[in-house]
Amino acid sequence: MMTIQPLSTEDAPAVAAMRQAASAHKGEALGPEARPMFDAMFVATPAEEDVQVEAATVGGIAGSWLRVASARPGACILYLHGGGYVLGSAQAFTSFVGQIAARVGADAFVPDYRLAPEHPFPAAIDDAVAAYRGLVSEGAERAVVVGGSAGGGLTLALLSILAADKTKGMVQPVGAAVMSPWTDLTLTGESFETRAEADPIFTRGVLRGFSKMYLQGQDATLPDASPLYAPLNGLPPIRIDVGDNEVLLSDAIHYAERAQAAGVEITLTVWEGMPHVFQSSLGQFFAAERSVNAIGEFLRHRLETLSENADPSNPLKGA
């Protein structure tokens, strides 16, 4: 189930430089005032050529379409951005999502789901569900869901919600890929201790601040908030990529263990030396390129392959 990717000699100097640059800001509390700074980080991701950005509304949720040349007909990607449920925007993530979409050969929609603290739980997951159902109602025949960090948590929560609707005829994603997913808002994973020094970006305190703004007193073990506690049976194949040097390492490992026990086809890749959602650092880390390529290959394969239980008249059903 788990694969370890060692830190390459080519990436070691870049990791050291990033760690030094980030050290002055580690542990700083982040709230809505950090939104411009956060967006600027992701806007810096190199854009893929031949990807067009279109403002759109899907399922009542505003966002952005990333349209790729020669997109696979009937296939699409739903991308749920990260930012601790407090930060992030569809526009900021267009370059990064365009990189994934181009590798998969499918158009991608990034919804601007509502952010905390203005819109606490369950606003974000409600919007994610609405966007997915909107894609299906607009004719998506095959869909995959992708997300990083809090968006990875939303992705996995969405899978369990949709699986529960399967008996009602709700069409299912054929696969999902998550990067450094935040699966447990109780913040009890052992890596909050074992990776406290290694993580160059986050501390338990920073994530506790995000969690408080999002939950606003609600139970952190609610499955729609923390997918680690959701029913995991009946989910589609999932790929998880996570850095070894991040406090959310246990969130990825524990979810993968539970999913495997539930019979889910799960792939977990741990990248040594890498920080949180390092994939967005394309052009900075060789590991970012390798991970995004592997994610693209996984998603492309899922969109090309019918599951054994799929209804040929509706490829999403039962997948």
Side-chain angles (χ1 to χ4, degrees):
M1 176 191 70
M2 183 165 67
T3 301
I4 306 294
Q5 293 287 349
L7 177 64
S8 69
T9 54
E10 295 89 350
D11 274 341
V15 168
M18 178 276 300
R19 180 177 296 280
Q20 183 175 9
S23 62
H25 302 285
K26 180 175 177 175
E28 290 182 354
L30 298 172
E33 73 285 348
R35 287 170 184 165
M37 175 272 294
F38 183 84
D39 281 3
M41 290 171 47
F42 283 90
V43 167
T45 302
E48 179 71 23
E49 294 183 4
D50 298 325
V51 176
Q52 303 299 317
V53 182
E54 298 177 5
T57 299
V58 174
I61 311 300
S64 298
W65 271 109
L66 287 303
R67 303 289 191 183
V68 303
S70 303
R72 182 175 289 105
C76 69
I77 301 165
L78 175 63
Y79 187 94
L80 301 171
H81 71 74
Y85 301 103
V86 174
L87 313 174
S89 66
Q91 186 173 5
F93 277 78
T94 55
S95 291
F96 180 51
V97 180
Q99 292 277 359
I100 296 173
R103 286 164 171 80
V104 178
D107 293 338
F109 180 69
V110 188
D112 259 321
Y113 61 82
R114 289 170 291 171
L115 299 176
E118 301 93 325
H119 305 283
F121 173 83
I125 187 62
D126 285 349
D127 289 356
V129 173
Y132 179 85
R133 289 177 172 163
L135 291 174
V136 173
S137 68
E138 291 186 10
E141 297 174 352
R142 294 179 69 71
V144 291
V145 189
V146 188
S149 192
L154 287 174
T155 296
L156 299 175
L158 174 63
L159 295 185
S160 288
I161 290 170
L162 295 174
D165 284 347
K166 191 181 296 187
T167 57
K168 303 175 185 177
M170 184 62 199
V171 295
Q172 301 293 302
V174 295
V178 291
M179 297 159 281
S180 305
W182 191 7
T183 68
D184 183 5
L185 272 62
T186 69
L187 307 175
T188 54
E190 61 269 19
S191 54
F192 280 103
E193 303 295 338
T194 63
R195 298 301 190 275
E197 295 299 324
D199 192 319
I201 303 169
F202 285 129
T203 65
R204 180 185 267 130
V206 172
L207 292 173
R208 183 180 293 116
F210 284 145
S211 177
K212 286 182 177 180
M213 282 184 276
Y214 182 48
L215 293 175
Q216 297 191 20
Q218 299 185 77
D219 186 354
T221 64
L222 288 169
D224 290 357
S226 295
L228 181 65
Y229 304 103
L232 304 185
N233 51 300
L235 303 189
I238 300 169
R239 178 183 172 97
I240 302 176
D241 287 73
V242 63
D244 187 58
N245 283 4
E246 56 174 307
V247 292
L248 287 178
L249 176 63
S250 293
D251 279 48
I253 293 174
H254 293 166
Y255 184 90
E257 290 172 344
R258 281 207 62 225
Q260 185 178 45
V264 179
E265 182 182 327
I266 190 93
T267 301
L268 171 64
T269 303
V270 178
W271 297 80
E272 290 186 342
M274 287 294 116
H276 188 68
V277 194
F278 64 91
Q279 293 84 358
S280 65
S281 298
L282 288 165
Q284 180 179 354
F285 299 141
F286 289 100
E289 185 80 21
R290 291 169 57 205
S291 180
V292 173
N293 286 345
I295 290 167
E297 181 179 357
F298 169 81
L299 296 172
R300 187 172 62 251
H301 175 71
R302 292 308 310 157
L303 288 170
E304 291 173 346
T305 305
L306 282 170
S307 75
E308 293 179 0
N309 296 323
D311 178 355
S313 66
N314 188 339
L316 279 174
K317 286 191 177 180

